[in-house]
Every structure is written in structure tokens, then in C-alpha cells.
Amino acid sequence: MIVDRHGDLVSANAGFDMITRGVDPHLLTPPVSVPRVLLHPSGLAPRIVNLDEWAWHIIGSVQAESVRNPSDRLQRLAAELVDLAPARPRQLSPHHLGFAVPLHLRTGDPDNRELRLITTLTHFGTATDVTIAELRLEAFLPADEATSAALAELVRW
């Protein structure tokens, strides 16, 4: 998916649609706030197994963006996400990588399998167009063979 500096969805492939199946349609009405979709109780939050860690990872990203590019909108979003998040975990899981937190997401399909995903962010740092420079590409990648196989199957579901 491609998001702007506010976390709003600019473009996405079919994988986004697959992951967001079952999300309340009002959260998917443009402009779609990806952090809100992830942490809202009518969004993906009920399906995120490691919501305590993942939520604070997302909140930290929004807060960091707000520091880099001060914006009332980002500050309001960060405050909203804090209200939605469970308590910050006292101890990080052994899967926590420091700079990244793997996403453990239930599929929502009849088998309700757990997907283990890692994310990569690509920033267009050398772009001369300000609009493009504010975009980032986020890819959710399988962290293990079972997730890779489940994703291949879910694409056909």
C-alpha cells in the first residue's frame, strides 16, 4: 500500500482488500486512515494477536512523523490511537526487533489462521516532487513458510 505522511491510503493492491475483509465499511471510506483501520475496534484490532506491542509501534510511528512534520492532524490522530490502544506492555516479546514489530494477524477466514508478517517501508527520499517525497510504500511480507502458504491460499479464497 502507499500512504501519505498522515497515514492516509493513497493506493493499494488486492492484498490490502484481502487483509481488511470484515473491517467496518465506514473505516474504509476515503480518506482511509491506515493507522485507524489497524487499531480501531471495528477495524483490524480484534484480529491482531499482538495488539499491545503492535499498537504502540504504530503510535510511535505516528508520533515520530508528527515530530518530523508538525501537524495538528497528526497530533489528533496520535491521541485518538492512544485512546484506542491497550496498555503499553511492560515487557517486550522476544519477537520484538526494536526497529520493527512483526504483525501477528488472524485471517478472519473460516480457519482463522494466524499470519506472521513483517513490514518494510520505502520512502522516496530523492524525489524532487514534494507530493511524492511525502509518500511511503509499505509492504507486508510473510515472516515464515506457514504464512507464505496461507497467503497464497487466501488470495484464492
Side-chain angles (χ1 to χ4, degrees):
M1 70 184 150
I2 297 174
V3 295
D4 65 15
R5 70 184 181 99
H6 295 106
D8 289 342
L9 186 67
V10 174
S11 183
N13 64 13
F16 181 81
D17 295 334
M18 180 191 66
I19 287 175
T20 58
R21 281 185 192 140
V23 167
D24 191 313
H26 88 274
L27 291 171
L28 299 174
T29 301
V32 176
S33 171
V34 173
R36 187 176 294 118
V37 168
L38 288 165
L39 301 187
H40 196 281
S42 297
L44 290 174
R47 292 180 26 214
I48 298 176
V49 176
N50 60 335
L51 182 61
D52 54 350
E53 282 186 313
W54 181 257
W56 289 100
H57 171 68
I58 297 301
I59 292 165
S61 295
V62 172
Q63 290 171 333
E65 183 65 34
S66 180
V67 169
R68 282 190 302 275
N69 297 294
S71 157
D72 289 342
R73 185 173 169 206
L74 282 171
Q75 290 173 352
R76 285 191 306 271
L77 177 60
E80 175 188 344
L81 297 176
V82 167
D83 288 343
L84 293 174
R88 187 186 298 262
R90 293 176 184 247
Q91 185 173 349
L92 299 174
S93 82
H95 303 291
H96 191 282
L97 304 175
F99 63 91
V101 178
L103 172 61
H104 298 196
L105 179 69
R106 295 265 177 223
T107 58
D109 68 344
D111 296 330
N112 207 27
R113 293 167 283 191
E114 183 178 322
L115 303 176
R116 295 177 180 262
L117 304 162
I118 57 172
T119 63
T120 60
L121 288 173
T122 303
H123 294 263
F124 302 99
T126 59
T128 56
D129 183 310
V130 173
T131 304
I132 293 173
E134 290 184 350
L135 299 178
R136 65 181 187 264
L137 171 68
E138 185 161 7
F140 288 82
L141 305 169
D144 56 32
E145 286 297 320
T147 297
S148 182
L151 288 173
E153 184 180 323
L154 285 169
V155 169
R156 295 186 299 269
W157 181 56

